[in-house]
Amino acid sequence: MHADIRSLMLPHLVEAEAYAAIDPPEVLAREAGIPEDQVIKLDGNENLYGPSPKVKEALAAYKSYHIYPDPQQRKVRQALAGYIGSSPDRIAAGVGSDELIDLLLRLFVGPGDAVIQCVPTFAMYATFTQLVGGRLVSVPRTETFDVDVQAVRQAAKSGAKVIFLTSPNNPTGNLVSEEVVRQLLELGAVVIVDEAYSEFAGQSVSSLAPQYSNLVVLRTFSKWAGLAGLRIGYGVMDPAIAERLLVIKPPYNITVASEVALLASLEDKALLLSRVANIVQERDWLFAQLQRMPNLTPIPSSANFILCRLSQTKAQRVYKELARKGIFVRYYDNPLLRDYIRASVGLRRHNQALVTALHNILSEGAI
Ligand SMILES: Cc1ncc(COP(=O)(O)O)c(C=O)c1O
């Protein structure tokens, strides 16, 4: 027996902060005191169309759940190479793109090594950097939330190992241009371009991978393909990086269920991409509605969510009022985003409910 078991833990992990993850619908329903089927969940940038119907059929028909998945991910990497226009040796798949962020940091970053992120951005880069004992360097974005290239250059001078770029960025929704990606690749650090929302933007830098051995492009099936719950992401990169990721990953990381779902999704790509087009149309409709709201400014987005600035530090109260009505958006308890909420784009009925609720909250002085 040990008096203080924490004293045996690694100090940097005892101090590590948890990623502020989102709660599942049943917890949200309990909080709001409503039935689960009345929850409008716009807090996780999930795809409210759900998966392709072919996924459900394929999962039901699959016969070999008792056999381990292929540790070399052969079928998956072949299919992904066809989808993204690359070759299988440049591809590695993970349990969501989250796992690839983790594995890449483990591959490249040791204690004290610098990792650059451009804030505000996806919080998982910080979470996983602290797990490897890396030194996180947060470079603020410009007023328009663009990457401050000069400031990143300056920060990289003392020898950064990894630079995260996110395109479209979460939570701001804006893209990083190919020109900026190229400029930062020239610095020599590993540049991870996280394209989780790429299908909604119709833009990708994955075709640059053969030109730059230090470029890794991350993609996921969580957003465009509606498979967030099955956890499957992938990266396109130099074959030497992909080969190492396949060695250091847990051997059976992606499950056969996610493998089956991925292959069925790619077979139904046309349907899924038509849903993406609908979500993009909905995003533009929602943006126009939000622009008319008093005390609220939506930020233009190339993804499936919209960040909204609320004047007079009302963001947290608006978030709470929406939650009371069963509409869950994302609020960040962080100085850079204190005046903002982020709403995912759902189907028209969800978006309409959000617009009506926001309108009532903001115009009728409910707060
Ligand atoms: C920018 C960004 N990258 C990665 C992820 C993680 O995606 P996955 O579900 O593939 O782990 C998210 C999820 O919200 C995200 O916003």
Side-chain angles (χ1 to χ4, degrees):
M1 201 174 93
H2 201 280
D4 178 11
I5 192 64
R6 290 162 67 95
S7 69
L8 295 183
M9 298 176 189
L10 296 178
H12 74 285
L13 295 186
V14 172
E15 283 159 21
E17 284 174 30
Y19 174 76
I22 45 176
D23 287 322
E26 65 270 21
V27 174
L28 300 178
R30 212 177 311 128
E31 270 172 23
I34 55 173
E36 195 179 322
D37 62 3
Q38 281 176 30
V39 165
I40 297 184
K41 194 171 180 310
L42 302 177
D43 59 354
N45 303 338
E46 289 134 334
N47 186 331
L48 297 192
Y49 278 102
S52 144
K54 291 220 162 82
V55 166
K56 293 176 194 168
E57 284 166 25
L59 287 172
Y62 188 71
K63 297 276 185 296
S64 303
Y65 287 113
H66 59 298
I67 304 292
Y68 284 108
D70 173 10
Q72 286 298 314
Q73 309 172 336
R74 292 172 185 85
K75 272 196 225 157
V76 161
R77 290 163 66 216
Q78 185 73 44
L80 288 169
Y83 173 61
I84 201 161
S86 184
S87 56
D89 64 337
R90 292 190 171 277
I91 291 176
V95 181
S97 42
D98 283 348
E99 187 184 40
L100 294 167
I101 296 169
D102 179 21
L103 291 172
L104 285 161
L105 288 170
R106 289 203 236 175
L107 184 59
F108 288 108
V109 177
D113 287 342
V115 173
I116 296 179
Q117 61 169 359
C118 302
V119 291
T121 193
F122 185 46
M124 209 62 95
Y125 313 138
T127 302
F128 285 129
T129 298
Q130 64 175 356
L131 297 192
V132 293
R135 185 165 52 84
L136 189 68
V137 180
S138 294
V139 176
R141 289 165 179 267
T142 66
E143 244 177 50
T144 49
F145 293 127
D146 288 310
V147 169
D148 186 338
V149 178
Q150 264 319 100
V152 173
R153 267 212 189 100
Q154 193 59 32
K157 269 198 177 140
S158 45
K161 294 294 285 291
V162 168
I163 300 172
F164 280 103
L165 298 176
T166 318
S167 186
N169 185 44
N170 176 10
T172 57
N174 56 326
L175 290 157
V176 182
S177 71
E178 185 178 313
E179 183 51 31
V180 165
V181 174
R182 282 184 189 273
Q183 283 172 17
L184 295 178
L185 279 163
E186 296 301 334
L187 299 176
V190 177
V191 175
I192 302 179
V193 183
D194 182 344
E195 294 188 346
Y197 303 95
S198 169
E199 278 82 357
F200 300 99
Q203 189 175 312
S204 172
V205 293
S206 62
S207 63
L208 296 185
Q211 289 172 51
Y212 297 94
S213 60
N214 56 333
L215 171 65
V216 177
V217 178
L218 295 182
R219 303 281 288 263
T220 179
F221 275 59
S222 295
K223 315 297 180 180
W224 76 281
L227 293 182
L230 277 177
R231 316 297 304 120
I232 183 142
Y234 63 103
V236 183
M237 62 203 87
D238 190 87
I241 304 178
E243 185 269 333
R244 281 295 97 186
L245 290 186
L246 290 174
V247 168
I248 68 170
K249 75 176 176 58
Y252 308 116
N253 64 335
I254 55 168
T255 65
V256 287
S258 46
E259 198 178 304
V260 166
L262 177 141
L263 298 172
S265 299
L266 290 178
E267 273 169 28
D268 210 12
K269 188 174 84 169
L271 174 83
L272 291 171
L273 290 176
S274 75
R275 289 174 172 182
V276 166
N278 291 348
I279 292 169
V280 168
Q281 268 186 9
E282 275 300 304
R283 176 190 74 209
D284 296 344
W285 177 84
L286 179 60
F287 187 83
Q289 305 298 313
L290 293 171
Q291 268 186 317
R292 297 200 207 122
M293 303 260 169
N295 299 318
L296 183 150
T297 311
I299 313 298
S301 169
S302 298
N304 66 341
F305 55 83
I306 299 176
L307 187 69
C308 303
R309 184 166 54 240
L310 285 136
S311 56
Q312 298 148 18
T313 57
K314 281 180 173 167
Q316 191 174 21
R317 283 153 71 200
V318 169
Y319 160 77
K320 284 190 177 154
E321 276 301 311
L322 286 171
R324 267 184 359 107
K325 294 172 188 283
I327 302 174
F328 294 88
V329 297
R330 194 80 151 118
Y331 173 72
Y332 305 87
D333 195 10
N334 134 5
L336 279 179
L337 292 166
R338 199 153 280 158
D339 293 335
Y340 294 86
I341 56 172
R342 187 201 68 196
S344 312
V345 179
L347 311 186
R348 177 58 62 90
R349 65 177 185 281
H350 310 119
N351 304 331
Q352 184 63 65
L354 173 68
V355 166
T356 306
L358 272 176
H359 195 268
N360 292 340
I361 292 168
L362 294 168
S363 352
E364 289 166 12
I367 57 166

